[in-house]
Amino acid sequence: MESQIASYNLTELKNGLKNGELSSSEICRYFIEQVKKIDSVVNAFIHFDEKQILDDAADSDLRRKEGNVFSDYDGIPIALKDLINVKDHPCSCGSKILENFISPYDSTVAERLRSKGFIFFGRANMDEYAMGSTCENSAFKITRNPWDTDRVPGGSSGGSAAAVSAGEVPVSLGSDTGGSIRQPAAFCGVVGLKPSYGRVSRYGIVAYASSLDQIGPFARDVEGVAEILGIISGHDVKDSTSLQEGKADFLAAVKEAPDDLNGIRIGLPKEYMDEKGLDADVRSSIEKTLNELRNLGAEIVDVSLPHTKYAVPAYYVIATAEASANLARFDGIRYGRRAEGANDILETYVKSRAEGFGNEVKRRILLGTYVLSSGYYDAYYLKAQKVRTLIRKDFEKVFQKCDVIFAPASPVLPFKIGEVVDDPVQMYLSDIFTISVNLAGVCGISVPSDIVKAEKELPMGVQFLGPAFGEEKILSVARTFEKNRDVQTFSPKQFGDV
Amino acid sequence: MNKDIIDVDYIAALARLELDSELHDKFQQDMDAILGYVDMLSELDLSDIEPTAHAASLNNVWREDRKSEPLGQEIMLKNAPDILDDELIKVPRVLAEEGGA
């Protein structure tokens, strides 16, 4: 039974529950054992409540016995990034300032998962406030890449990606503000999807940059992310930025994905292939994948996103400006950490924030405060917003010439732990292939494409990008690629070591 | 753009952050490096370009004006760092004591 659970994808778990082959308790016990066995090394979870999980699983099994399941998914575990509020669960955002925070309410995504009977399975580690690309900015622990534990899992949703990769949970949720789902998915050899802006409600998600943040799923396969997206998407009255046209049949798009890519035009932005920072191993793997796509019948179309190089600087102005406003609420007054020994209210704010926030968060708050400060608004913030318009228009033009855009997920292989954490500009540049997507509000899926040999085997991932509300198209292309790609199994072998 | 010297202390005060001297020096360097990099945006002619504040075009959406249950005082006070009489959040002094302090 155990080995079956390990190899099952989301649909198989669902069917196993439905036909009585499996119970939720068996499934959860299997994954709990896996967490106990390896998470002391992988460190995917900040918080893990075994008893709560088993109680919830027993409730689910009882519902099933009585014929009252909430949905076919009732009893399936899902891990959530630690910035998604779930009533009565901790929500620390990877930050000391929220270390002891217990959510008073459900976020909309949690409520939707709960209403289907999903079991909340641990709080996944993350860069503090989703600020980072390595998971090293967590105040609590450094998550390790299950493929090579000397390397990072990517970030900021590193815990969510590593947990799925290491077989600690079948599916998870992360958030993507500048690549924080797609890059860790690629680093860990799992599938991750960043929905179009407005597809998924942000209600109850701790905000980093409100005009860029989207919640999205991780799974072992394309079908898994399509299933979860189907559940969490759709308009929400509690989030005025969630759009009316949010629902679609994503699972059908995956199930009906053709066996080849005949008639599909895949845009290849020349700026991406010309990128100087593109690692040689990454480049040769990308070229191999492009050939696989050609062999499947896709037409590779040369396209141009001329403002690509301006995306990173524009992003770091816009995102930090929004962050400096969003994080103003963490002041040690109503909730969160309050510094001891302050004499008045101002000192309380200043000391609580100094003690509670880590360095990357402080750096971004300062940057955001600066670009919004009197005399600099036009020079930085307004300018960046205008560049955002140019980037959005680049994508609109390109999507008239092709169905989807092909892109690497990261210019480099997963970093070694400690390698770049102290060089902010180098760190920010690693987001070059993911960041424009958030500025333009379009969607992207990261799908494992290849395995490359470094000290140890490492997975490679590529992205398919689609226009706003083009998720069905990118899911379909990703699924056709997935079922035909040369490498079929993406399973870290390093478990012998962990 | 501009080559002003960034006053990290002033920005930190605006951001309600306290920095020790080591962090101050580090952030001075980091901010110079990051903003130096951001200066690349000045290469572009943006004179006729409208700014984009949001990825999606947002329209006002009306909904029925319905009463809903609030979360409740007890629940909201659970995360408060300090409370008074089980119904108030206790905060440090807001105004200085008379005669200074």
Side-chain angles (χ1 to χ4, degrees):
Chain A
M1 187 66 68
E2 268 198 13
S3 60
Q4 278 167 320
I5 295 174
S7 67
Y8 279 178
N9 72 2
L10 183 57
T11 302
E12 288 161 336
L13 288 174
K14 197 169 74 174
N15 292 339
L17 283 166
K18 199 172 179 179
N19 64 30
E21 179 204 337
L22 295 171
S23 70
S24 175
S25 298
E26 281 172 315
I27 294 173
C28 288
R29 248 185 251 121
Y30 166 77
F31 286 109
I32 288 169
E33 282 313 307
Q34 186 72 357
V35 169
K36 282 184 173 168
K37 208 156 66 187
I38 64 170
D39 208 58
S40 58
V41 174
V42 175
N43 285 328
F45 291 103
I46 299 181
H47 183 87
F48 193 82
D49 187 342
E50 179 182 342
K51 185 180 176 300
Q52 171 84 59
I53 293 165
L54 289 173
D55 287 351
D56 290 348
D59 288 347
S60 169
D61 287 333
L62 188 63
R63 284 196 293 274
R64 200 168 286 274
K65 196 172 149 203
E66 292 172 344
N68 294 324
V69 284
F70 294 158
S71 80
D72 287 348
Y73 300 98
D74 201 321
I76 291 179
I78 185 167
L80 304 193
K81 186 175 183 177
D82 199 29
L83 50 59
I84 300 170
N85 280 284
V86 176
K87 188 172 169 31
D88 298 332
H89 288 231
C91 186
S92 79
C93 244
S95 182
K96 273 194 280 185
I97 209 166
L98 287 177
E99 187 165 7
N100 298 311
F101 185 82
I102 304 293
S103 301
Y105 66 96
D106 269 347
S107 55
T108 295
V109 291
E111 187 183 276
R112 286 181 181 172
L113 291 167
R114 192 191 290 282
S115 75
K116 301 286 184 196
F118 276 91
I119 307 229
F120 298 116
F121 190 90
R123 307 289 302 173
N125 195 24
M126 56 184 282
D127 286 301
E128 186 179 3
Y129 282 97
M131 296 177 184
S133 313
T134 66
C135 233
E136 293 168 288
N137 294 334
S138 166
F140 304 112
K141 45 172 70 169
I142 293 178
T143 301
R144 291 170 181 273
N145 191 315
W147 292 70
D148 178 349
T149 51
D150 291 334
R151 293 179 188 261
V152 304
S156 64
S157 312
S160 305
V164 172
S165 166
E168 293 175 294
V169 72
V171 282
S172 63
L173 289 187
S175 67
D176 191 316
T177 307
S180 285
I181 289 174
R182 290 159 290 149
Q183 182 253 28
F187 278 10
C188 291
V190 298
V191 182
L193 186 141
K194 192 288 259 197
S196 309
Y197 190 82
R199 179 71 93 176
V200 178
S201 168
R202 294 181 299 107
Y203 176 77
I205 311 304
V206 183
Y208 160 22
S210 308
S211 80
L212 304 163
D213 297 342
Q214 272 291 288
I215 294 297
F218 290 93
R220 288 176 207 163
D221 55 17
V222 174
E223 188 175 271
V225 299
E227 294 204 56
I228 301 297
L229 182 63
I231 294 161
I232 61 173
S233 57
H235 179 65
D236 174 18
V237 291
K238 290 173 180 159
D239 175 5
S240 59
T241 65
S242 78
L243 300 180
Q244 297 289 344
E245 55 268 46
K247 274 279 173 218
D249 195 345
F250 306 110
L251 193 51
V254 170
K255 289 197 161 145
E256 289 156 17
D259 290 330
D260 59 46
L261 295 173
N262 286 329
I264 301 290
R265 289 165 307 163
I266 298 180
L268 180 63
K270 72 177 172 69
E271 292 78 9
Y272 288 2
M273 296 312 278
D274 291 347
E275 169 57 33
K276 285 192 291 293
L278 191 60
D279 174 272
D281 287 337
V282 175
R283 183 185 296 275
S284 65
S285 173
I286 292 293
E287 277 162 5
K288 185 174 149 221
T289 301
L290 280 166
N291 270 333
E292 289 181 43
L293 294 168
R294 277 191 200 97
N295 291 340
L296 282 171
E299 185 192 343
I300 308 292
V301 190
D302 288 324
V303 295
S304 174
L305 295 166
H307 298 96
T308 296
K309 76 165 178 170
Y310 303 102
V312 174
Y315 172 89
Y316 279 94
V317 171
I318 291 167
T320 59
E322 293 185 19
S324 72
N326 275 327
L327 271 62
R329 74 189 63 160
F330 301 101
D331 56 7
I333 300 300
R334 292 157 303 154
Y335 53 85
R337 183 192 184 100
R338 182 186 290 179
E340 304 274 338
N343 293 315
D344 60 27
I345 198 120
L346 182 62
E347 218 182 313
T348 303
Y349 299 152
V350 165
K351 286 192 184 302
S352 300
R353 289 161 66 79
E355 289 177 10
F357 290 141
N359 284 356
E360 183 61 27
V361 173
K362 286 176 185 162
R363 181 156 53 206
R364 294 198 196 191
I365 290 173
L366 285 181
L367 194 59
T369 304
Y370 180 74
V371 300
L372 290 176
S373 65
S374 174
Y376 297 100
Y377 181 92
D378 286 1
Y380 290 107
Y381 186 61
L382 190 64
K383 196 169 276 180
Q385 285 191 315
K386 289 180 175 181
V387 174
R388 185 173 186 181
T389 304
L390 296 176
I391 289 164
R392 190 166 49 88
K393 286 185 173 163
D394 283 355
F395 276 94
E396 282 169 11
K397 266 184 229 155
V398 165
F399 282 126
Q400 289 170 359
K401 291 186 195 151
C402 61
D403 300 296
V404 299
I405 294 173
F406 174 88
S410 160
V412 291
L413 294 173
F415 308 105
K416 297 262 179 69
I417 289 168
E419 193 177 12
V420 282
V421 80
D422 258 347
D423 183 343
V425 174
Q426 193 196 343
M427 187 85 268
Y428 298 170
L429 272 171
S430 73
D431 299 336
I432 181 93
F433 298 130
T434 48
I435 230 161
S436 321
V437 168
N438 301 75
L439 290 168
V442 299
C443 60
I445 188 169
S446 171
V447 71
S449 56
D450 193 12
I451 292 175
V452 296
K453 200 90 180 118
E455 284 92 343
K456 290 181 177 158
E457 285 190 338
L458 292 172
M460 270 287 305
V462 295
Q463 296 183 85
F464 297 105
L465 312 178
F469 291 84
E471 278 86 343
E472 287 157 283
K473 184 51 97 180
I474 58 171
L475 283 163
S476 171
V477 171
R479 175 63 191 136
T480 301
F481 170 65
E482 180 184 59
K483 57 185 172 183
N484 290 291
R485 71 188 162 197
D486 287 354
V487 181
Q488 273 300 318
T489 312
F490 286 86
S491 177
K493 293 205 182 89
Q494 312 307 332
F495 284 116
D497 301 343
V498 297
Chain B
M1 224 163 276
N2 58 76
K3 293 286 169 230
D4 295 0
I5 293 165
I6 300 154
D7 185 345
V8 171
D9 287 327
Y10 171 68
I11 300 300
L14 285 180
R16 301 281 190 257
L17 280 172
E18 188 178 71
L19 307 176
D20 60 30
S21 65
E22 195 186 329
L23 259 190
H24 175 280
D25 293 351
K26 180 171 169 45
F27 286 156
Q28 183 78 58
Q29 279 181 15
D30 289 351
M31 298 266 292
D32 287 342
I34 296 166
L35 289 165
Y37 175 63
V38 166
D39 275 345
M40 188 203 294
L41 299 179
S42 300
E43 297 166 16
L44 294 165
D45 176 10
L46 299 166
S47 43
D48 295 326
I49 310 294
E50 287 291 312
T52 295
H54 237 271
S57 52
L58 298 178
N59 300 304
N60 193 25
V61 182
W62 296 98
R63 66 160 174 80
E64 213 182 317
D65 189 15
R66 279 190 313 265
K67 193 176 83 174
S68 62
E69 283 302 308
L71 285 170
Q73 195 178 32
E74 196 190 330
I75 293 170
M76 295 315 285
L77 286 174
K78 273 188 187 165
N79 283 302
D82 202 0
I83 58 172
L84 197 62
D85 303 335
D86 288 333
E87 60 172 0
L88 299 169
I89 293 174
K90 193 174 167 189
V91 300
R93 176 178 294 281
V94 177
L95 299 173
E97 258 176 287
E98 257 182 77

